[in-house]
Amino acid sequence: MASILQRIGAATSLSSSNSFDTKKFNLSSPRSVIGRKVSNLDVRSNGANKMNGGMNCQIGGRADHFVTNAVATKPEAPAASTASKPGHELLLFEALREGLEEEMERDARVCIMGEDVGHYGGSYKVSKGLAPKYGDLRVLDTPIAENAFTGMGIGAAMMGLRPIIEGMNMGFLLLAFNQISNNCGMLHYTSGGQFKIPVVIRGPGGVGRQLGAEHSQRLESYFQSIPGIQMVACSTPYNAKGLMKAAIRSDNPVILFEHVLLYNLKETIPDEEYVLNLEEAEMVRPGEHVTILTYSRMRYHVMQAAKTLVNKGYDPEVIDIRSLKPFDLHTIGNSVKKTHRVLIVEECMRTGGIGASLTAAINENFQDYLDAPIVCLSSQDVPTPYAGTLEEWTVVQPPQIVAAVEQLCR
Amino acid sequence: MAFAGAKIIQPLTVHASATRSPDPFTNNKSTSLSSPFLGSTRTLTLTRSVSPFTQRRSASTVVAVSDVVKEKKVKATSNLLLTKEEGLEVYEDMYLGRAFEDMCAQMYYRGKMFGFVHLYNGQEAVSSGFIKLLKKEDSVVSTYRDHVHALSKGVPARAVMSELFGKKTGCCRGQGGSMHMFSAEHNVLGGFAFIGEGIPVATGAAFTSKYKREVLKEDDCDHVTLAFFGDGTANNGQFFECLNMAALWKLPIIFVVENNLWAIGMSHLRATSDPEIWKKGPAFGMPGIHVDGMDVLKVREVAKEAIGRARRGEGPTLVECETYRFRGHSLADPDELRDPAEKAHYAKRDPITQFKKYLIESKLATEADLKAIEKKIDEVVEDAVEFADESPAPSRSQLLENVFADPRGFGIGPDGKYRCEDPKFTEGTAQV
């Protein structure tokens, strides 16, 4: 199955050897099977079914087969996985590392830079073992100078390397905003297409366990307006590895949002190589009554709420949007057309968050299909408090999700 | 350069010092000035040293080179600093820079280009002095005052002028403008509007050079990167962060400070606690050089050493070029704050006039040779304007191109197809 994905991947992903001539926009070649043709999907879903009988998450796209077990509701508890199935079990941070390592092995231009990524192995151990293997220049321990080393990664990318820049915590990337907004996002355009910036900017973000306001930020809302960048959020070991690989192979600058509380999620992932699609959303649980759109950690709160909802007789459709910028309007649209009700559950702040943009996008594109106004559950517009009780009330909790669905489906 | 209320020092006084390494406490005298402004009260002094790059292992000595070249010149006339070909090449480049910028001013006032245009008049010695020593594979990073850097590096005048006119034949297809000159072919990595943000990019290019040599095993990769920026930028955090990283990893980069003493209307002395920027080099573990940026020969000598260092893998250098811009900060700047006496002082040291004089006096070229070059360049600039004038403006279809290297980044539309496949994209009318 992975080989099928690979072939599709080869057809759809414009690898560095086939540089895309943006000036000509020549998409008519049959090779570019970029359209969502049903036949491809069938192949993929069937293939997926063979592979992931025991897996809890979907291979991206419109797979028809799935396992209804919600993934573990508490991030630290291991996901249900069947050891007898092919594949290997690992934790999410290991999946990220696997993706990193495979890409570094495949292409000598791929390098990592960031604080403590080398000898320390990364603050969440994502790059553990890579510096001894690849050397101190390829896995570069930088001084604490986010703006400068992000810019350095961008300059290196312009000259042919493919750096992965780590923000030790996503919040630290606020210091690199100059470089991310001006250079990362804009240079391809202002240079008239002469230089590309194939960087991956990644790091842990989101609200953790009493990490305090500054270490609990959600930068996706700040970065989403920057033209020229893509943003993805991983939520399972399977999609973490797939998205990491896709982001590294992409010629666009990609910001990969990981979540501090999800690094120890356990799952069995395929042994074969696979690369996911950066622009696609993931169907977590098909349903009929309501579309719940979510990403990152809130996916688990939603699935926990889904259990309760199923017991109460509701049939929610849960989609992990994965691609925060751009939105996968096809998957989302198909769902809206089916259920006519939308609930967005996110960890972003209320004001100007991903949910706000998503609400606008759905209203604009699928107005006619909605039976009720879109409901968006976001974190409170407050700096995340330290106290555990207060922190719990800033983010969306499963009972709120259940209540919102009940309200929406009245 | 003028202190408010103090007399002009011309040229900068040289305090001979017995030791090779500068002692900050004996050399920098605090002169009590009557001026009340907040800024450094130190006079700028140059430390004279015999050879440009005396180094101790731990802390590099800071040197000023102005006198080295003078000494060399005084010696036997057979010991010339450059050949006739080199001399003519440099002269042509400097003259092109001046003629081009003068034409830009004309075109701006005629309404052919808009926005912020920052001209380089007066600083040509720095651009020609450094960039003419580079190979095509070496990189140059600049700021918004980048037209002449691009020209020196080899970007055709036509391409730069078209870019300024906003035409599709511009080096960046009209999408960059005056402050964003890029050329992949000539390795001009920009063109940046925010000061300081280009320096990390330059550091990255230098990093790639080292990476190619050490990781990708391209043993002959000795490409160097030049980062040009001004005195205002030398107070910016990114500058210091990059000095640190470049010295730490011995990156093949040269930080060239074009100290023209003014950051728009902010005098360098009012903005900087210690105005001797070259001193910041040794603080980070690299040589810091101060050079007379109005003298292309001196700049060239320093550049040769610095570039040689970088190529040999010995690490970065910080070079402070004392220079001056004859025009305002930009074409929109009324330039009211600068003392006319200061401007006159530097106008007398016009780098092109100085170099022309040198070429003729040292018999490297005749008046006729130089006139021929000037005529040729005037024609090149005229041709560039004509070309730019006649070139078409970008069509609507260009609007959405080049936002992403991989246009699938625009995402999947409601119909399941990638949005970039929508014909409205190629027409530039799609809503993104």
Side-chain angles (χ1 to χ4, degrees):
Chain A
M1 188 253 3
S3 58
I4 295 168
L5 263 186
Q6 262 183 311
R7 255 185 281 122
I8 293 175
T12 56
S13 81
L14 300 166
S15 62
S16 47
S17 55
N18 302 324
S19 58
F20 190 87
D21 188 342
T22 54
K23 292 183 181 142
K24 292 204 223 127
F25 251 62
N26 183 11
L27 288 161
S28 53
S29 65
R31 173 187 63 75
S32 61
V33 184
I34 304 177
R36 304 284 104 205
K37 298 199 175 51
V38 177
S39 53
N40 282 347
L41 299 177
D42 282 350
V43 168
R44 191 152 58 188
S45 332
N46 287 341
N49 186 39
K50 283 202 193 72
M51 244 329 284
N52 69 333
M55 276 167 43
N56 295 303
C57 53
Q58 294 316 301
I59 299 170
R62 291 131 213 88
D64 300 311
H65 304 270
F66 60 94
V67 176
T68 40
N69 280 342
V71 182
T73 54
K74 286 244 158 48
E76 296 88 275
S81 60
T82 40
S84 57
K85 295 288 177 209
H88 54 286
E89 195 182 54
L90 42 50
L91 304 178
L92 194 145
F93 77 89
E94 292 170 334
L96 287 166
R97 192 201 316 143
E98 233 180 56
L100 260 179
E101 197 165 352
E102 281 176 20
E103 292 304 300
M104 288 181 82
E105 201 58 49
R106 178 178 175 268
D107 186 347
R109 298 168 302 163
V110 177
C111 56
I112 308 176
M113 45 184 82
E115 294 157 12
D116 272 329
V117 294
H119 294 190
Y120 196 75
S123 51
Y124 288 89
K125 300 291 171 255
V126 172
S127 50
K128 187 168 177 201
L130 296 179
K133 185 172 177 190
Y134 293 109
D136 280 351
L137 203 60
R138 247 187 118 178
V139 185
L140 185 73
D141 277 325
T142 62
I144 306 174
E146 276 79 6
N147 210 9
F149 71 70
T150 304
M152 194 173 92
I154 292 167
M158 286 167 77
M159 295 306 285
L161 298 188
R162 302 185 79 89
I164 297 145
I165 301 165
E166 173 175 305
M168 192 185 256
N169 182 286
M170 278 310 232
F172 301 168
L173 293 180
L174 287 174
L175 287 127
F177 214 116
N178 179 184
Q179 292 294 337
I180 294 174
S181 166
N182 285 8
N183 291 346
C184 211
M186 297 192 195
L187 272 183
H188 185 71
Y189 195 78
T190 52
S191 68
Q194 293 182 80
F195 291 100
K196 59 182 192 199
I197 324 280
V199 297
V200 177
I201 298 175
R202 51 157 292 271
V207 176
R209 294 254 182 272
Q210 298 189 250
L211 300 179
E214 293 178 13
H215 283 85
S216 311
Q217 300 193 66
R218 284 123 287 160
L219 257 52
E220 52 267 26
S221 56
Y222 304 155
F223 290 140
Q224 66 176 322
S225 301
I226 300 173
I229 56 149
Q230 280 185 254
M231 306 200 302
V232 288
C234 63
S235 49
T236 66
Y238 180 77
N239 66 33
K241 179 176 174 185
L243 289 175
M244 171 71 90
K245 288 170 72 86
I248 294 172
R249 293 191 192 187
S250 171
D251 276 347
N252 295 336
V254 179
I255 306 184
L256 170 58
F257 290 91
E258 302 154 15
H259 197 285
V260 282
L261 293 179
L262 299 184
Y263 281 118
N264 289 325
L265 275 180
K266 198 185 286 192
E267 190 180 359
T268 302
I269 66 170
D271 288 327
E272 299 89 348
E273 192 182 23
Y274 68 94
V275 181
L276 291 178
N277 202 327
L278 285 176
E279 297 87 24
E280 272 186 39
E282 189 178 307
M283 178 68 69
V284 183
R285 182 194 187 283
E288 298 290 325
H289 291 163
V290 60
T291 299
I292 307 182
L293 303 171
T294 183
Y295 66 92
S296 193
R297 180 196 169 203
M298 285 298 119
R299 168 188 174 135
Y300 297 96
H301 281 203
V302 166
M303 290 313 288
Q304 187 177 1
K307 271 196 193 166
T308 315
L309 287 167
V310 164
N311 288 340
K312 290 192 175 192
Y314 293 94
D315 187 19
E317 174 153 294
V318 180
I319 295 176
D320 182 339
I321 61 172
R322 258 180 21 196
S323 177
L324 307 180
K325 178 181 157 82
F327 296 131
D328 177 359
L329 291 176
H330 182 64
T331 309
I332 294 170
N334 283 352
S335 182
V336 175
K337 288 175 189 174
K338 183 165 62 163
T339 67
H340 311 296
R341 289 176 170 77
V342 178
L343 170 67
I344 300 171
V345 180
E346 58 160 358
E347 206 178 52
C348 246
M349 257 98 64
R350 181 135 212 83
T351 306
I354 299 292
S357 299
L358 194 49
T359 305
I362 297 173
N363 273 326
E364 200 174 275
N365 285 289
F366 308 114
Q367 171 82 293
D368 289 339
Y369 297 95
L370 291 169
D371 281 350
I374 301 173
V375 177
C376 181
L377 297 177
S378 335
S379 294
Q380 304 275 358
D381 273 349
V382 301
T384 312
Y386 164 73
T389 44
L390 292 176
E391 183 184 70
E392 211 178 290
W393 293 322
T394 56
V395 297
V396 179
Q397 299 294 342
Q400 290 168 268
I401 303 171
V402 172
V405 169
E406 289 179 324
Q407 176 84 344
L408 202 48
C409 292
R410 246 173 339 121
Chain B
M1 138 237 98
F3 292 43
K7 65 173 166 62
I8 298 162
I9 299 166
Q10 50 160 317
L12 291 171
T13 44
V14 176
H15 293 258
S17 114
T19 59
R20 285 190 170 192
S21 50
D23 181 341
F25 298 102
T26 57
N27 280 357
N28 285 306
K29 310 179 188 52
S30 264
T31 57
S32 59
L33 296 174
S34 53
S35 59
F37 71 90
L38 294 165
S40 172
T41 52
R42 296 176 181 162
T43 55
L44 283 185
T45 61
L46 303 179
T47 329
R48 184 169 58 173
S49 177
V50 174
S51 76
F53 279 79
T54 35
Q55 296 217 36
R56 285 171 305 166
R57 225 150 281 250
S58 48
S60 319
T61 326
V62 197
V63 293
V65 188
S66 316
D67 297 295
V68 177
V69 177
K70 213 175 2 174
E71 284 170 21
K72 279 193 184 170
K73 264 159 75 171
V74 161
K75 281 189 202 132
T77 47
S78 58
N79 198 2
L80 285 173
L81 291 161
L82 33 64
T83 65
K84 175 176 182 170
E85 289 75 36
E86 289 169 344
L88 293 179
E89 185 192 11
V90 170
Y91 185 78
E92 181 172 325
D93 191 54
M94 286 171 67
Y95 189 81
L96 171 63
R98 181 68 60 88
F100 190 93
E101 297 291 69
D102 282 340
M103 185 60 81
C104 278
Q106 266 194 61
M107 292 299 115
Y108 189 84
Y109 295 126
R110 281 197 210 167
K112 300 288 179 101
M113 58 178 88
F114 299 93
F116 293 129
V117 178
H118 309 83
L119 299 182
Y120 199 73
N121 298 46
Q123 300 181 199
E124 295 86 0
V126 181
S127 183
S128 302
F130 267 95
I131 300 179
K132 280 309 166 196
L133 292 170
L134 295 181
K135 301 189 288 204
K136 195 169 188 191
E137 300 82 18
D138 296 321
S139 304
V140 164
V141 173
S142 180
T143 58
Y144 44 71
R145 206 177 297 282
D146 56 350
H147 308 167
V148 178
H149 293 139
L151 292 170
S152 290
K153 193 65 173 57
V155 182
R158 280 183 162 195
V160 181
M161 192 60 85
S162 283
E163 184 62 33
L164 292 168
F165 281 29
K167 302 294 178 79
K168 73 195 295 179
T169 48
C171 53
C172 301
R173 310 179 80 202
Q175 290 167 192
S178 168
M179 299 184 281
H180 303 284
M181 292 292 169
F182 288 84
S183 169
E185 186 192 338
H186 299 278
N187 287 306
V188 176
L189 305 183
F192 292 93
F194 287 20
I195 57 151
E197 72 180 356
I199 305 177
V201 172
T203 311
F207 176 81
T208 305
S209 179
K210 185 181 169 91
Y211 189 97
K212 281 185 179 160
R213 187 139 68 169
E214 295 182 16
V215 177
L216 301 179
K217 306 292 181 212
E218 293 172 25
D219 291 321
D220 53 353
C221 181
D222 61 350
H223 307 154
V224 305
T225 307
L226 299 187
F228 291 93
F229 49 93
D231 44 286
T233 309
N235 291 326
N236 187 273
Q238 291 182 85
F239 167 61
F240 299 116
E241 290 176 12
C242 289
L243 283 183
N244 179 43
M245 294 197 298
L248 186 62
W249 298 316
K250 286 203 151 76
L251 300 181
I253 181 173
I254 297 128
F255 298 99
V256 184
V257 186
E258 295 176 300
N259 184 353
N260 58 22
L261 304 171
W262 291 89
I264 309 188
M266 190 63 168
S267 147
H268 176 56
L269 296 172
R270 291 183 68 222
T272 318
S273 58
D274 185 348
E276 293 178 274
I277 302 173
W278 51 264
K279 280 193 196 161
K280 290 168 174 151
F284 286 91
M286 69 180 82
I289 324 281
H290 179 282
V291 68
D292 176 1
M294 305 305 270
D295 185 331
V296 70
L297 292 169
K298 292 179 185 165
V299 173
R300 199 178 151 93
E301 283 304 300
V302 168
K304 252 192 221 158
E305 288 268 6
I307 292 170
R309 248 178 69 82
R311 284 212 207 284
R312 292 187 300 269
E314 291 167 24
T317 313
L318 174 66
V319 181
E320 180 189 354
C321 303
E322 184 203 335
T323 182
Y324 203 76
R325 50 169 166 83
F326 294 155
R327 290 182 179 268
H329 163 74
S330 72
L331 288 173
D333 174 18
D335 194 16
E336 292 159 341
L337 285 178
R338 300 193 298 175
D339 186 350
E342 178 188 89
K343 294 192 218 182
H345 163 65
Y346 280 99
K348 274 200 285 230
R349 298 172 57 204
D350 187 325
I352 296 178
T353 329
Q354 276 195 81
F355 190 54
K356 186 170 185 173
K357 190 155 168 266
Y358 169 79
L359 287 174
I360 293 174
E361 282 179 358
S362 60
K363 309 268 193 293
L364 276 173
T366 61
E367 280 266 11
D369 290 332
L370 300 180
K371 278 262 178 303
I373 290 178
E374 289 166 19
K375 182 163 181 293
K376 169 176 148 198
I377 292 299
D378 287 337
E379 282 169 13
V380 164
V381 174
E382 286 281 351
D383 167 78
V385 172
E386 247 181 71
F387 176 78
D389 242 342
E390 289 165 11
S391 292
S395 52
R396 181 114 195 214
S397 59
Q398 207 180 298
L399 179 65
L400 300 172
E401 291 174 15
N402 308 138
V403 177
F404 288 106
D406 179 352
R408 284 178 303 164
F410 281 117
I412 302 169
D415 60 358
K417 297 218 283 237
Y418 271 94
R419 303 198 59 212
C420 55
E421 291 182 309
D422 176 353
K424 293 216 190 95
F425 259 77
T426 38
E427 291 160 25
T429 50
Q431 189 66 42
V432 284

